[in-house]
């Protein structure tokens, strides 16, 4: 609880400081004229919508914020990331700062005999004789092609950071058990979460006989999603689990584990459903095959949609200080925006855990369906009645 309160207070302080500086700049008459002229300021609904969409995308650098100095020049604050491309002339590497924060295809970077430009967060390689990017009547680039991009983007950096934090945390937990049966320090925070995944997610859905085999994957995916969701609430602006490619890969791991560990009962229920007429068995085959695909589809769509929606709402509420400025003034609009944004940020902390739990719980449920042994002996109570086990409970749930 103390950690959560400390985190919330820091987020609140960051919002207050950021919006206060913005408010001071808006109260300056010279800056008012610059806003009206749209000189580097985002002051319209369309501009805000475009900014939110840009934030939700992956990027090749970290852009923290921008400001306009007294000379009217727009300054960008952030730090670059490595760009790694396989071009028509081979491997090319450079820092994303070479683009000078340009995302409109105006800056050309010459490296390794190739020319590169960045347009809408995508890096293109210009054709051999081209000196600038050109567009067709639909404003699509026509004299460029995409190189293979292996860059360390913001999302890749976030995943590496999450992986590093997991290694440090679980290494500390493992080392603590070597010294004492009761962990100390931050390891005491991890232990109840590990036990929760084991006792509340893995065992009930997979069963006591098979759950240990899948604990490594379930713990990894739970903490990986949870940490990435929390990083998305920091000022660094991560939106890793809001990238459809990331959620698809996570769901694909679950899909492969299910198919490679499915027992004969699992495949029998798909291709020759027991206990139904022959014609119904044939009719159910395509339905069951479709069900194989709908399970991972539900996993990646749910995670992607919820995280993306959360980021969009938080940023939209933060933009109220600009949209409501005319009605409530700078101080009033900023105050309303800060309070609402802080409230939604606290909710997003809960959603960060909830989405990690849902993804892990559904993954364990689908795995349990694949490894369940349907012809098994039941335990009996003192009166000789059968006792429902985890597989019976899972079957009733399905």
């Amino acid at each position: 609880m103390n950690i959560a309160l400390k985190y919330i207070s820091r987020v609140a302080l960051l919002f207050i400081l950021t919006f206060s500086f913005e408010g001071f700049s808006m109260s300056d008459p010279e800056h008012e004229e610059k806003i009206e002229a749209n000189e580097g300021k985002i002051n319209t609904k369309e501009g805000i919508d475009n900014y939110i969409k840009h934030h939700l995308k992956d990027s090749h650098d970290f852009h923290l914020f921008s400001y306009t100095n007294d000379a009217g020049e727009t300054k960008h604050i952030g730090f670059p990331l490595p760009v790694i491309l396989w071009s028509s002339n081979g491997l090319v590497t450079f820092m994303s700062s070479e683009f000078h924060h340009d995302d409109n295809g105006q800056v050309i970077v010459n490296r390794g005999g190739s020319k590169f430009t960045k347009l809408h967060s995508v890096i293109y390689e210009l054709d051999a004789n081209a000196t600038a990017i050109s567009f067709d009547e639909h404003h699509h680039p026509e004299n460029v092609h995409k190189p293979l991009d292996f860059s360390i983007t913001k999302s890749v950096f976030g995943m590496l950071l999450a992986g590093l934090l997991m290694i440090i945390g679980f290494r500390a937990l493992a080392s603590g058990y070597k010294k004492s049966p009761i962990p100390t320090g931050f390891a005491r925070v991890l232990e109840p979460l590990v036990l929760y995944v084991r006792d509340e997610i893995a065992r009930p859905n997979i069963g006591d006989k098979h759950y240990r085999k899948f604990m490594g994957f379930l713990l990894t995916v739970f903490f990986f999603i949870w940490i990435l969701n929390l990083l998305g609430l920091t000022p660094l602006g991560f939106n890793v689990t809001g990238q459809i490619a990331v959620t698809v890969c996570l769901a694909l791991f679950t899909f492969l584990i299910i198919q490679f560990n499915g027992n004969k009962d699992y495949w029998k229920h798909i291709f020759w459903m027991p206990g139904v007429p022959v014609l119904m068995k044939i009719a159910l085959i395509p339905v069951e095959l479709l069900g194989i695909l709908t399970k991972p589809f539900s996993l990646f769509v749910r995670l992607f949609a919820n995280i993306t929606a959360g980021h969009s709402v938080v940023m939209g509420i933060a933009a109220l200080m600009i949209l409501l400025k005319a009605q409530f003034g700078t101080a009033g609009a900023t105050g309303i925006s800060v309070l609402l944004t802080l409230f939604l940020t606290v909710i997003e902390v809960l959603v960060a855990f909830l989405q990690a739990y849902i993804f892990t719980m559904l993954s364990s449920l689908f795995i349990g369906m694949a490894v369940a042994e349907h012809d098994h002996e039941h335990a009996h109570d003192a009166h000789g009645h059968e006792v429902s086990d985890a597989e019976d409970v899972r079957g009733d749930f399905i």
Side-chain angles (χ1 to χ4, degrees):
M1 181 63 68
N2 292 332
I3 296 176
L5 292 175
K6 184 184 294 184
Y7 171 78
I8 294 171
S9 63
R10 290 179 179 177
V11 172
L13 179 61
L14 174 70
F15 274 108
I16 293 172
L17 291 176
T18 303
F19 293 155
S20 298
F21 290 141
E22 188 68 20
F24 285 129
S25 67
M26 289 180 179
S27 62
D28 190 344
E30 294 183 3
H31 282 277
E32 291 286 346
E33 296 177 0
K34 293 175 182 177
I35 291 174
E36 295 299 327
N38 198 29
E39 295 181 1
K41 295 288 185 180
I42 301 174
N43 61 330
T44 63
K45 184 179 183 302
E46 182 181 0
I48 292 172
D49 290 341
N50 291 332
Y51 184 83
I52 293 176
K53 292 178 182 178
H54 178 77
H55 167 79
L56 295 177
K57 294 180 180 179
D58 198 4
S59 63
H60 289 81
D61 58 7
F62 276 92
H63 178 228
L64 301 180
F65 64 92
S66 302
Y67 69 94
T68 304
N69 59 20
D70 295 335
E73 300 174 341
T74 301
K75 299 294 183 180
H76 304 281
I77 304 300
F79 54 91
L81 293 170
V83 175
I84 307 171
L85 305 171
W86 186 266
S87 67
S88 55
N89 294 311
L91 185 65
V92 177
T93 61
F94 56 92
M95 298 300 291
S96 61
S97 57
E98 296 290 331
F99 290 113
H100 301 290
H101 299 280
D102 174 66
D103 198 42
N104 299 316
Q106 298 177 355
V107 175
I108 307 299
V109 177
N110 291 278
R111 284 291 185 279
S114 300
K115 292 168 285 188
F116 304 96
T117 188
K118 187 154 69 77
L119 179 66
H120 303 317
S121 301
V122 179
I123 297 178
Y124 293 95
E125 180 182 358
L126 274 69
D127 295 340
N129 298 325
T131 57
I133 191 170
S134 61
F135 301 91
D136 57 18
E137 62 221 9
H138 303 291
H139 200 68
H140 296 150
E142 56 182 358
N143 62 338
V144 297
H145 59 275
K146 292 182 181 179
L148 291 177
D149 195 344
F150 303 100
S151 303
I152 307 297
T153 62
K154 186 164 65 174
S155 293
V156 174
F157 182 85
M159 289 187 284
L160 294 175
L161 179 59
L164 178 62
L165 293 176
M166 290 172 62
I167 292 174
I168 294 174
F170 284 104
R171 184 177 179 84
L173 180 61
S175 300
Y177 279 125
K178 294 180 180 179
K179 300 177 182 178
S180 170
I182 301 177
T184 59
F186 185 73
R188 298 186 67 178
V189 179
L190 291 179
E191 184 186 43
L193 292 173
V194 172
L195 295 178
Y196 180 81
V197 173
R198 185 193 69 181
D199 297 334
E200 303 297 331
I201 298 179
R203 272 181 170 172
N205 292 309
I206 302 177
D208 291 335
K209 184 177 181 180
H210 302 288
Y211 83 94
R212 289 182 178 273
K213 181 179 180 180
F214 306 99
M215 275 298 296
F217 169 73
L218 295 177
L219 285 173
T220 300
V221 74
F222 175 82
F223 283 97
F224 186 71
I225 295 175
W226 184 45
I227 292 174
L228 287 177
N229 291 345
L230 291 179
L231 289 177
L233 301 177
T234 64
L236 293 176
F238 288 107
N239 186 35
V240 182
T241 47
Q243 305 296 327
I244 192 70
V246 175
T247 59
V248 166
C249 287
L250 291 173
L252 184 60
F253 281 120
T254 299
F255 173 78
L256 293 176
I257 289 174
I258 293 172
Q259 308 316 316
F260 282 103
N261 289 278
N263 57 24
K264 62 179 181 180
D265 290 325
Y266 170 74
W267 293 110
K268 185 177 180 179
H269 275 70
I270 293 175
F271 291 104
W272 204 248
M273 181 73 70
V276 297
V278 175
L279 292 179
M280 186 61 69
K281 292 182 180 186
I282 298 174
L284 285 175
I285 291 176
V287 176
E288 292 295 327
L289 289 175
L290 182 62
I292 293 177
L293 301 178
T294 56
K295 292 182 179 68
F297 181 82
S298 65
L299 285 176
F300 77 77
V301 169
R302 180 183 289 104
L303 180 60
F304 163 75
N306 280 281
I307 298 302
T308 300
H311 282 259
S312 300
V313 171
V314 170
M315 294 191 67
I317 294 297
L320 286 177
M321 71 171 187
I322 298 175
L323 299 178
L324 298 180
K325 180 188 168 188
Q327 290 81 6
F328 300 99
T330 300
T334 301
I336 293 174
S337 177
V338 169
L339 290 177
L340 291 177
T341 304
L342 181 59
F343 173 72
L344 287 175
T345 301
V346 174
I347 295 178
E348 283 294 299
V349 174
L350 174 62
V351 172
F353 176 86
L354 185 62
Q355 291 304 316
Y357 165 77
I358 291 175
F359 192 99
T360 309
M361 187 273 292
L362 290 178
S363 294
S364 66
L365 179 63
F366 297 153
I367 293 172
M369 293 167 59
V371 301
E373 298 174 359
H374 299 277
D375 297 325
H376 59 281
E377 294 295 332
H378 290 75
H380 294 77
D381 58 18
H383 302 286
H385 300 123
E386 292 185 350
V387 178
S388 298
D389 57 12
E391 293 173 3
D392 296 317
V393 174
R394 181 170 56 251
D396 295 337
F397 177 82
I398 298 169

